[in-house]
Amino acid sequence: MNYQEKIDKIVDYIKSGESQKENFKIGLEMEHFVIDKDELFSYDYFGEKGVGSSLKDLKDMGFSVTNEHDGYILGLRENDIAVNLEPAGQFELAIDAKKNIKDLDESFKKIMGEIIPIFEEKNQYLETLGYHPKSKIMDLKIIPKDRYKYMQKYFTDFGGKYALNMMRGTASVQSAIDFSDEEDFKMKFFVANALAPFMYTFYDNAYIFQGKPYEKKNLRQEIWEYCDKNRTGLYDFAFDEDMSYEKYAEKILNTDIIFIHEDGKDVYKGDTKFEKIMDKDFSDEMIFHALSIVFPDVRVKKYIEIRMPDAVPYPYNLSFPALIKGLFYNEENLNKLREDFKNMTYENCQNLKSQAKELGLYAKYEGKTICEWIKYFISLAKDGLDEDEKTYLFPIEKLMDEKETLRDKFEKIYKEDPKKACEKFSVNHALGEINGKA
């Protein structure tokens, strides 16, 4: 297989995700820390109260095991919910893509109603913050999964200064959107990347870094920017006029693969380029792996993943897919945003990111603050949503009226009482609020 044929294989894989507009859905993935209610340290996988023990509890409740290694449960599923773990035991829930935000909401409430009692019994919070509220990353053991051992080795040898913080210390909310054809893909990829500094800033929810207050803004942005310049942050071709499936595919082909799954096990490959791997294996499974082992702000598979927000508490977590749906699935809004960002370049976007980590909501793009831009995005999204979905934007609209981020709110409470801050930002608290209103 020659070089162009390899590109074509990746292009065909991405293209196979094209969907009719009437079938567009939106996905939601949420990561959490499991922390002790009293001491606020994070639990890793191991031990009597470790995250692994909670996965066993879920299995006993009837969840199906989807990933197991040497007797360790690493992944589960119940109906439309997948449970997986990030490298240091961050607890991840992915809800299958839905057409309506209300359906995502109902799935979230149902699953949390089932699993929060498990954490309550262990005196734990399922915590929604962008970084551990107390623990340092090397206090935590990596889950028993060879691929994370290999990723840690690769990032130690080849990564940036925050590579291990990325693996072990972060938690996020992410959404995935569909595209109808290559032109639609190109438009959405451009706009999603243009939104990166705004989304990092707006959904900033990380006040503590390695056990101490982080004085700047947008910690997640900083960590991912300095993880691995070849596979994280903003791709330098994001705003190119000739952006295409092929251009993205070529990037993937020329990125280090780190590890592959071969003969039933994960095998370390280090800085071997995917282009070389495709000499032997060009299966859909291998292409999916290559597309998954990069972590840019906006990632492409058979859909487009938008990955900037920190983990945020309910109902703010639902506001993100609502905002994205209202902006990206309304053609008029998408066209407006493409015009609004007609002057956006890689350099401009990086400059705005740099400004935002110092000034937060008061950083400016083309004469308007990020706060003003966010208000504008919310107003557009409202016009792009059905009446019953607009309500998911109300909490973030209130935030912008107050000119605050969730990080700001957490900081205020934390300075008075760290335990209270962590309680307020837990799923346990949110579920209590939901049940109290029911």
Side-chain angles (χ1 to χ4, degrees):
M1 180 177 286
N2 64 35
Y3 187 83
Q4 186 59 49
E5 288 171 334
K6 294 171 183 177
I7 293 286
D8 292 343
K9 285 290 290 184
I10 302 172
V11 167
D12 288 344
Y13 183 90
I14 296 171
K15 185 178 174 61
S16 70
E18 292 177 353
S19 177
Q20 297 295 319
K21 292 181 181 180
E22 59 267 24
N23 296 325
F24 280 179
K25 296 179 181 180
I26 189 160
L28 178 63
E29 182 180 297
M30 300 159 288
E31 298 164 356
H32 313 79
F33 302 114
V34 178
I35 71 168
D36 185 81
K37 284 188 176 185
D38 298 318
E39 301 299 327
L40 307 184
F41 63 81
S42 299
Y43 285 89
D44 59 26
Y45 185 90
F46 302 94
E48 186 180 343
K49 291 187 176 182
V51 180
S53 71
S54 295
L55 295 191
K56 288 180 182 177
D57 293 338
L58 292 176
K59 178 186 176 183
D60 292 342
M61 285 172 54
F63 284 60
S64 301
V65 176
T66 57
N67 191 347
E68 192 168 5
H69 180 70
D70 290 341
Y72 295 106
I73 298 171
L74 301 172
L76 299 156
R77 174 170 277 275
E78 183 188 62
N79 299 321
D80 62 339
I81 306 289
V83 178
N84 290 294
L85 301 179
E86 291 299 304
Q90 300 99 310
F91 187 90
E92 175 194 296
L93 288 177
I95 303 175
D96 290 349
K98 314 286 187 190
K99 284 191 174 184
N100 301 308
I101 306 301
K102 187 175 181 181
D103 292 335
L104 291 174
D105 189 10
E106 290 304 315
S107 290
F108 172 83
K109 290 172 182 174
K110 181 178 183 297
I111 193 69
M112 287 306 182
E114 293 176 10
I115 69 175
I116 286 298
I118 290 174
F119 296 104
E120 281 286 335
E121 197 171 299
K122 295 182 172 76
N123 195 45
Q124 296 170 341
Y125 288 132
L126 201 56
E127 192 69 17
T128 47
L129 295 170
Y131 203 88
H132 297 286
K134 183 174 183 179
S135 295
K136 298 179 181 179
I137 57 170
M138 301 314 290
D139 296 337
L140 305 164
K141 296 177 182 176
I142 291 289
I143 68 173
K145 200 172 187 178
D146 287 343
R147 62 184 55 196
Y148 290 140
K149 177 178 67 177
Y150 297 149
M151 285 176 66
Q152 183 164 270
K153 173 177 169 52
Y154 175 86
F155 284 131
T156 299
D157 292 341
F158 302 107
K161 64 179 178 179
Y162 291 133
L164 297 186
N165 300 89
M166 177 279 283
M167 288 183 64
R168 292 166 165 263
T170 61
S172 70
V173 168
Q174 302 174 23
S175 274
I177 56 173
D178 293 317
F179 48 88
S180 59
D181 55 31
E182 191 164 18
E183 280 304 307
D184 189 42
F185 162 83
K186 180 179 176 180
M187 176 87 82
K188 286 172 177 170
F189 189 78
F190 182 103
V191 171
N193 278 281
L195 287 175
F198 303 91
M199 295 298 104
Y200 274 124
T201 304
F202 183 39
Y203 286 98
D204 181 7
N205 189 31
Y207 174 60
I208 301 298
F209 176 58
Q210 291 295 83
K212 297 179 180 179
Y214 183 71
E215 298 303 327
K216 294 184 179 181
K217 314 289 186 182
N218 297 9
L219 174 60
R220 178 177 174 82
Q221 172 190 294
E222 184 76 355
I223 289 173
W224 287 80
E225 195 73 24
Y226 294 98
C227 171
D228 178 350
K229 290 297 287 183
N230 198 42
R231 78 178 69 239
T232 62
L234 188 72
Y235 279 158
D236 59 8
F237 55 82
F239 306 110
D240 289 357
E241 280 299 320
D242 63 346
M243 175 58 193
S244 62
Y245 291 151
E246 184 164 325
K247 201 158 192 175
Y248 194 92
E250 189 165 11
K251 173 66 175 179
I252 297 302
L253 198 63
N254 290 287
T255 299
D256 296 346
I257 197 65
I258 303 180
F259 69 91
I260 63 171
H261 196 71
E262 187 176 58
D263 299 327
K265 61 181 180 180
D266 291 330
V267 179
Y268 184 66
K269 293 293 181 179
D271 58 347
T272 304
K273 298 291 186 286
F274 184 49
E275 195 269 335
K276 186 174 181 180
I277 299 298
M278 284 192 81
D279 287 335
K280 292 184 177 180
D281 189 344
F282 45 85
S283 64
D284 282 356
E285 291 78 13
M286 186 60 74
I287 292 172
F288 175 79
H289 168 59
L291 292 166
S292 302
I293 203 65
V294 299
F295 316 107
D297 294 343
V298 182
R299 183 164 68 180
V300 178
K301 296 176 183 173
K302 291 184 180 182
Y303 39 82
I304 298 172
E305 295 176 343
I306 305 177
R307 301 163 40 83
M308 297 71 114
D310 280 326
V312 292
Y314 182 89
Y316 300 99
N317 57 343
L318 271 297
S319 76
F320 184 60
L323 181 64
I324 295 303
K325 181 183 178 183
L327 295 178
F328 284 82
Y329 285 173
N330 180 283
E331 196 167 338
E332 185 177 346
N333 284 344
L334 192 60
N335 287 330
K336 280 182 182 177
L337 290 172
R338 181 61 182 85
E339 177 64 20
D340 289 329
F341 291 124
K342 63 184 177 183
N343 297 323
M344 184 65 86
T345 63
Y346 175 77
E347 292 74 18
N348 289 343
C349 200
Q350 291 292 62
N351 288 339
L352 183 56
K353 279 185 170 185
S354 295
Q355 194 189 146
K357 70 182 181 183
E358 303 291 340
L359 300 176
L361 292 172
Y362 294 94
K364 287 188 175 182
Y365 177 70
E366 295 199 333
K368 291 198 301 187
T369 65
I370 286 180
C371 184
E372 290 171 320
W373 277 104
I374 295 293
K375 286 184 176 183
Y376 167 65
F377 300 151
I378 293 170
S379 70
L380 288 183
K382 278 184 175 180
D383 293 337
L385 293 173
D386 295 335
E387 285 300 320
D388 65 339
E389 293 183 311
K390 292 179 184 180
T391 57
Y392 293 99
L393 299 175
F394 294 167
I396 57 174
E397 191 171 35
K398 186 172 186 292
L399 266 185
M400 287 304 92
D401 287 342
E402 296 169 350
K403 295 183 172 59
E404 283 192 321
T405 64
L406 288 166
R407 176 202 180 279
D408 297 330
K409 290 188 175 296
F410 182 85
E411 178 183 357
K412 287 179 181 177
I413 306 170
Y414 184 92
K415 285 179 174 177
E416 294 180 4
D417 186 344
K419 288 185 184 180
K420 184 177 180 183
C422 289
E423 178 194 357
K424 289 276 189 183
F425 277 64
S426 69
V427 180
N428 311 52
H429 176 79
L431 192 64
E433 293 276 296
I434 292 167
N435 291 335
K437 292 175 182 176

